[in-house]
């Protein structure tokens, strides 16, 4: 039947293909700061698997958020942030998700650590006062909080069942996305994971300040992930997105 239609109505078939292409490639809505969510969606577009995510340094549940687009598509995950006040927003706008109020770091000599909140620009809040001060005149303008510290492995371990990854069969049916944006402490979060037990398929991580791709490839984050089999799948001025295996292969429009 398709062959007959193509032969009898070639112009209609051509117009249909053009329309389908434009619909499939229409401008995408992004909630991320630099379009990271649309890049992740593109990387996983050929897969029929469900998606779970762990978003460390999630800040607002919608705006400048790397996982809200995934949530809108019906997926869910765990959001981690040191600012307690955003928990209510996650309960309101993302009830399927779980929120964890904690600092994530490889430095766990103490169960608690200081976190510095910049009220004028919450996005730069950090465990580093020098980083959090941003455009404020001094560190005296920061709010200091004493918060619990967890490793990334702790976060995965305590939420593995919630994410539905507690059996090999379940894990093989899911794409696990890890997003990290913790204002200068991103490598510390990476190194706090147990990479033999908890292996995300995609790692979206802030690499702001690397300058260019050559600098990025010589940096600690790139070297760390590359040594574990990740390939650079996408790059924005603020963020690098790494993926394992076939997920890195480009897709083509049919």
């Amino acid at each position: 039947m398709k062959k007959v239609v193509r032969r009898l109505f070639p112009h209609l078939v051509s117009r249909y293909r053009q329309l389908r292409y434009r619909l499939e490639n229409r401008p995408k809505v992004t909630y991320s700061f630099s379009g990271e969510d649309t890049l992740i969606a593109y990387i996983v577009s050929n897969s029929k698997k469900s998606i779970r995510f762990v978003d460390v340094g999630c800040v607002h549940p919608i705006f400048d958020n790397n996982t809200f687009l995934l949530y809108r598509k019906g997926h869910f995950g765990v959001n981690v942030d040191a600012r307690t006040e955003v928990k209510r927003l996650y309960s309101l706008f993302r009830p399927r998700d779980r929120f964890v109020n904690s600092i994530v770091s490889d430095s766990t000599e103490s169960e608690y650590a200081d976190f510095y909140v910049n009220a004028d620009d919450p996005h730069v809040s950090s465990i580093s006062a020098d980083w959090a001060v941003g455009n404020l005149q001094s560190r005296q303008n920061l709010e200091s909080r004493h918060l619990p510290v967890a490793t990334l492995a702790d976060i995965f371990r305590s939420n593995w069942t919630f994410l539905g990854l507690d059996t090999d069969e379940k894990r093989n049916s899911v794409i696990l996305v890890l997003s990290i944006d913790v204002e200068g402490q991103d490598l510390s979060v990476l190194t706090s994971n147990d990479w033999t037990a908890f292996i995300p398929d995609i790692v979206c991580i802030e690499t702001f300040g690397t300058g260019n791709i050559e600098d990025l490839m010589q940096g600690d984050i790139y070297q760390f992930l590359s040594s574990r089999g990740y390939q650079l799948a996408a790059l924005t001025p603020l963020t690098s997105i790494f993926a394992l295996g076939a997920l890195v292969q480009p897709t083509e429009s049919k």
Side-chain angles (χ1 to χ4, degrees), residues 217 235-236 238:
M217 294 177 70
L235 181 66
T236 81
L238 297 177

Side-chain angles (χ1 to χ4, degrees), residues 63-83:
F63 303 109
D64 296 339
N65 188 284
N66 291 340
T67 58
F68 182 63
L69 182 61
L70 297 175
Y71 184 86
R72 281 198 60 193
K73 291 178 177 291
H75 309 294
F76 68 90
V78 177
N79 303 287
V80 187
D81 202 274
R83 296 194 307 130

Side-chain angles (χ1 to χ4, degrees), residues 57 61 103:
I103 294 169

Side-chain angles (χ1 to χ4, degrees), residues 165-196:
L165 306 175
D166 47 331
T167 68
D168 290 341
E169 182 180 3
K170 292 179 181 179
R171 178 65 186 90
N172 290 334
S173 66
V174 166
I175 293 176
L176 178 59
V177 176
L178 171 64
S179 178
I180 302 174
D181 184 352
V182 289
E183 305 309 315
Q185 307 302 311
D186 308 273
L187 182 62
S188 174
V189 173
L190 280 181
T191 57
S192 74
N193 189 31
D194 179 351
W195 289 91
T196 63

